[in-house]
Amino acid sequence: MIDMTRIEWVENGAARSALWRSESGWPAPKKVVIADDTMAADTAYRLALDGTALLWRGDFQNARQLLQALARRIDQKPARAKRAKAGTTPPTITEQFHRHRLAQLQRARTLAMLLIPFEADYTIPLRRAPDVRQACNEAYGAFSEPFVISLRELLGLIGAHEWRSKGVPVAALDDRIHPWYGVFSPVRGEYVELVAQAPLPKGAQTAFDIGAGTGVLSSVLARRGLQRVIATDMDARALGCARENIARLGLDAQVEIIQADLFPEGQAELVVCNPPWLPGKPSSAIEYAIYDPDSRMLRGFLNGLNAHLAPGGEGWLILSDLAEHLGLRSREQLLGWIEGAGLAVAGRHDVRPVHPKAQDKDDPLHAARAQEVTSLWRLRSAKG
């Protein structure tokens, strides 16, 4: 949920306030001081670590440089912190994962302490500030009051606008998908390729795409010849993004995008779902594409699949096994959920990821990422 409370500070001896915006869900900072080009990076770092937000009044490009300086200070860990104490038991991969998440969360919170003011028309009242009005209108829609956001979030918004403008190339479509701000981008193409290459159920004409996101999988299924694809999502941005991509690709006649919690009404010969791959609580809105609290979406898909499969139909579950290598979910648990839902595994297609982190030996989770496999599980009713 977007935090839109107010923050307060004193400037030139007068009390001031402004609306606080945070798509990431960070709470409004309780203490705010004015910062400009004269503030040293070490001073800014100490204040940010203490939970004091810095409302920037200097040159915008200098604010970006200060943010980079803060990031360098956070990432410069003492050598002794990297060495395990003699006689201590090395942490398990699960403990490493939770420590890594906590460190990333703390890093994000510290960097979010550098704030940028906005006018009601989405202009930034700072020297050398970029024109971000189009990016803000895409992300936020119409607005009518000055506000403040973190510079880090603003840079993410600018990056999302650039991705939306140029699009992400998708080999399976021989075209591009244009992700919106807050909608997970299909930059990991291996799961898309699985959907593009797995054999379709015999005679399949209708498909459901559960959790449409950008609409990339619906587009692939339509290009493969499915006459009717119904894609569902609960997020308003995802629905708008998917509809825009489907229209851009000229697939409106085949694909319908509707708001629904998991399944639409009726049955289909093919039901596809690419749920978040890791069980856990998201720390921001965008992380809902990565973390599935209590495996709600995964288990909901499995438990509801039988009722929405046409006779002889298949459900395709696209899932990474990274959670298994991190000790967050076992293969036995997944198979137990499949069997408990009255389903049987008709086949499985695997692919190894090619994203850079899988090859980065300095990544704290490299041991798990190096073993990761993404699978398309072909599921059928156990009753035949």
Side-chain angles (χ1 to χ4, degrees):
M1 181 178 294
I2 302 172
D3 189 341
M4 295 186 66
T5 55
R6 301 190 73 83
I7 62 172
E8 299 177 347
W9 69 94
V10 175
E11 188 170 1
N12 297 324
R16 302 279 300 276
S17 72
L19 196 66
W20 164 252
R21 293 197 69 138
S22 176
E23 291 283 334
S24 301
W26 300 127
K30 295 181 179 180
K31 187 176 181 180
V32 180
V33 299
I34 299 300
D36 59 22
D37 308 309
T38 63
M39 179 173 283
D42 285 338
T43 301
Y45 181 53
R46 287 194 297 270
L47 288 168
L49 280 179
D50 190 44
T52 299
L54 313 172
L55 179 57
W56 192 255
R57 293 302 194 194
D59 181 272
F60 180 86
Q61 301 306 325
N62 287 346
R64 294 190 63 163
Q65 292 180 17
L66 177 59
L67 186 67
Q68 294 170 359
L70 294 177
R72 287 195 297 271
R73 282 159 174 77
I74 295 172
D75 296 338
Q76 285 173 353
K77 299 177 181 179
R80 64 178 179 272
K82 297 181 181 179
R83 296 195 299 264
K85 292 183 179 179
T88 60
T89 303
T92 65
I93 187 63
T94 306
E95 290 171 336
Q96 291 180 48
F97 168 74
H98 289 303
R99 291 180 187 180
H100 176 67
R101 277 208 79 193
L102 180 59
Q104 292 297 96
L105 182 62
Q106 292 172 336
R107 182 182 192 274
R109 283 178 174 167
T110 301
L111 294 178
M113 289 293 108
L114 184 53
L115 313 182
I116 299 295
F118 270 80
E119 301 291 3
D121 63 352
Y122 291 138
T123 57
I124 302 173
L126 300 175
R127 297 189 307 276
R128 292 202 296 168
D131 184 349
V132 296
R133 287 175 294 179
Q134 183 177 350
C136 287
N137 274 295
E138 289 174 353
Y140 300 143
F143 205 61
S144 60
E145 183 178 348
F147 62 96
V148 171
I149 67 172
S150 78
L151 174 57
R152 190 167 187 261
E153 186 162 305
L154 171 60
L155 296 179
L157 185 149
I158 294 171
H161 167 68
E162 294 172 351
W163 275 115
R164 179 172 175 173
S165 298
K166 68 180 182 180
V168 177
V170 178
L173 291 171
D174 193 25
D175 215 318
R176 291 175 178 266
I177 287 290
H178 296 257
W180 286 18
Y181 178 70
V183 182
F184 201 70
S185 174
V187 290
R188 288 188 56 168
E190 67 267 13
Y191 76 94
V192 181
E193 286 297 322
L194 286 172
V195 173
Q197 297 174 13
L200 294 170
K202 186 176 181 180
Q205 297 183 347
T206 302
F208 295 162
D209 177 12
I210 310 303
T214 60
V216 62
L217 297 186
S218 294
S219 302
V220 169
L221 293 172
R223 286 278 178 88
R224 292 196 64 183
L226 275 295
Q227 295 181 12
R228 185 172 182 241
V229 180
I230 301 177
T232 69
D233 212 298
M234 288 294 290
D235 182 75
R237 282 183 178 143
L239 293 167
C241 178
R243 290 186 181 116
E244 182 179 273
N245 280 309
I246 293 301
R248 189 192 299 266
L249 293 169
L251 300 172
D252 305 70
Q254 291 169 265
V255 182
E256 179 184 5
I257 311 292
I258 66 172
Q259 186 174 38
D261 188 3
L262 296 178
F263 299 94
E265 295 183 358
Q267 295 182 326
E269 293 85 15
L270 177 61
V271 184
V272 177
C273 183
N274 175 35
W277 291 348
L278 298 178
K281 182 180 179 181
S283 61
S284 63
I286 193 63
E287 281 200 345
Y288 276 94
I290 304 170
Y291 294 98
D292 187 8
D294 298 320
S295 298
R296 176 194 173 275
M297 186 172 181
L298 170 58
R299 298 177 70 176
F301 170 72
L302 294 174
N303 290 331
L305 181 57
N306 250 327
H308 294 278
L309 276 181
E314 286 186 1
W316 287 1
L317 172 65
I318 300 97
L319 196 66
S320 159
D321 67 355
L322 181 61
E324 298 174 18
H325 299 301
L326 292 173
L328 303 176
R329 180 181 59 235
S330 68
R331 177 58 58 93
E332 291 72 23
Q333 189 175 33
L334 175 61
L335 293 175
W337 289 345
I338 291 173
E339 182 180 359
L343 301 168
V345 179
R348 197 182 78 220
H349 304 268
D350 299 334
V351 64
R352 286 197 173 273
V354 294
H355 60 87
K357 284 188 177 181
Q359 316 300 326
D360 183 6
K361 294 183 179 180
D362 292 328
D363 186 288
L365 303 178
H366 175 71
R369 296 191 195 279
Q371 302 177 69
E372 182 184 4
V373 172
T374 301
S375 300
L376 184 151
W377 296 78
R378 295 172 50 211
L379 306 175
R380 293 176 182 167
S381 172
K383 297 179 181 178

